[in-house]
Amino acid sequence: MRRGWKMALSGGLRCCRRVLSWVPVLVIVLVVLWSYYAYVFELCLVTVLSPAEKVVYLILYHAIFVFFTWTYWKSIFTLPQQPNQKFHLSYTDKERYENEERPEVQKQMLVDMAKKLPVYTRTGSGAVRFCDRCHLIKPDRCHHCSVCAMCVLKMDHHCPWVNNCIGFSNYKFFLQFLAYSVLYCLYIATTVFSYFIKYWRGELPSVRSKFHVLFLLFVACMFFVSLVILFGYHCWLVSRNKTTLEAFCTPVFTNGPEKNGFNLGFIKNIQQVFGDKKKFWLIPIGSSPGDGHSFPMRSRNESQDPLLANEEHWEDNEDDNRGYPEGSSSLAVETET
């Protein structure tokens, strides 16, 4: 009886948490819907008098709005990709591992299993990265998200504003969403500003549209500042081929820690997210190379191109001279374990 009550309570709490996790998304959706109404109806159809100006404003606005909402949708509803079956322990291996009481023997068992897999990163202590909740050997750059309760390939962070885990399958869409969000706010602010001045000077009648226009400028500027900082930070991460987690915790390889272990050079780093075909870079369709289970590494490429080894020292010197901080965003919550 008591056990059944506890299970019901636990299920109810999980259900409430799922519902509450959509609150940030609902807030964003409501703000966007209001901005659409304020810009299209209160500004373009009521406040703007020139027919030509109305047409130009509406065409450009809707072009940006389509890509903005499209990338937001893809960021929310593109499911995080999990490791495939070959990284999971077989039923026999799982039983052997769980029944073994000696930690050193368990560690050796994982080492033997990892030899059959393309994994080159390790824990801080040099052990094989193993998830005891998903019962799998983690592929390189894979981490367990405590919110999603799963291991996510090339996990970057869990973002409450899209209620999704950002990783290999949707990182491109998330970056595009940030870019089009910045463009959306910038476009609204620049086109609304002249009418804000006219209302401020009393050149336009004080009607209901005035408050929508004034508040629209304020909201657009407020979101623009926060989004451009977040977008700039992720652009820096892409230029170094790092995830947010790797920026805070240096990945450890079989030969030791290496903060630039996945840095292939500026152009190749961008291609690791957006793909080789530039015509797909601005469109929210999947074009990231690979399957998310293994990634090209600097240590392997240096033997083919010795200049990469020198490039790392040049980049490190530039960082020291500029004093570039590795900041974090208040809009992203890291939940990796």
Side-chain angles (χ1 to χ4, degrees), residues 120-309:
Y120 303 97
T121 53
R122 297 291 185 264
T123 64
S125 62
V128 174
R129 299 170 63 244
F130 177 72
C131 180
D132 55 1
R133 280 170 282 188
C134 298
H135 301 290
L136 58 81
I137 294 176
K138 297 178 183 178
D140 294 342
R141 315 185 84 175
C142 173
H143 299 275
H144 186 89
C145 177
S146 59
V147 178
C148 297
M150 68 173 74
C151 282
V152 178
L153 294 179
K154 196 185 178 184
M155 178 179 171
D156 188 87
H157 67 280
H158 185 92
C159 181
W161 300 103
V162 299
N163 191 29
N164 201 1
C165 207
I166 306 302
F168 176 78
S169 62
N170 59 358
Y171 187 57
K172 174 189 173 182
F173 307 143
F174 178 73
L175 281 174
Q176 291 173 326
F177 165 62
L178 292 180
Y180 286 118
S181 297
V182 169
L183 183 60
Y184 182 74
C185 294
L186 181 62
Y187 178 78
I188 289 178
T190 52
T191 53
V192 166
F193 184 74
S194 61
Y195 291 93
F196 168 81
I197 297 299
K198 290 180 180 180
Y199 274 122
W200 186 268
R201 292 176 177 175
E203 297 176 10
L204 293 174
S206 181
V207 293
R208 184 186 63 179
S209 298
K210 173 181 179 180
F211 300 100
H212 284 284
V213 171
L214 298 182
F215 196 57
L216 189 61
L217 178 64
F218 171 76
V219 172
C221 291
M222 180 183 66
F223 275 94
F224 174 80
V225 172
S226 59
L227 286 168
V228 79
I229 294 173
L230 179 59
F231 179 60
Y233 175 66
H234 277 278
C235 286
W236 177 80
L237 290 176
V238 171
S239 71
R240 297 304 178 89
N241 199 6
K242 290 183 178 182
T243 64
T244 300
L245 293 175
E246 290 166 355
F248 283 93
C249 185
T250 300
V252 178
F253 295 83
T254 51
N255 58 346
E258 177 54 66
K259 67 177 182 178
N260 290 313
F262 296 105
N263 192 342
L264 308 175
F266 182 74
I267 299 299
K268 290 184 178 180
N269 290 343
I270 295 176
Q271 291 174 345
Q272 282 295 298
V273 176
F274 294 96
D276 300 331
K277 299 180 179 179
K278 295 182 180 179
K279 62 182 179 180
F280 295 134
W281 284 13
L282 300 179
I283 305 174
I285 59 175
S287 60
S288 300
D291 60 1
H293 291 84
S294 59
F295 301 89
M297 294 179 292
R298 171 185 289 272
S299 58
R300 288 188 162 190
N301 290 328
E302 283 178 358
S303 60
Q304 301 173 1
D305 187 359
L307 291 176
L308 284 176

Side-chain angles (χ1 to χ4, degrees), residues 2 52 88 331:
R2 182 178 298 178
H88 289 75
L331 300 182

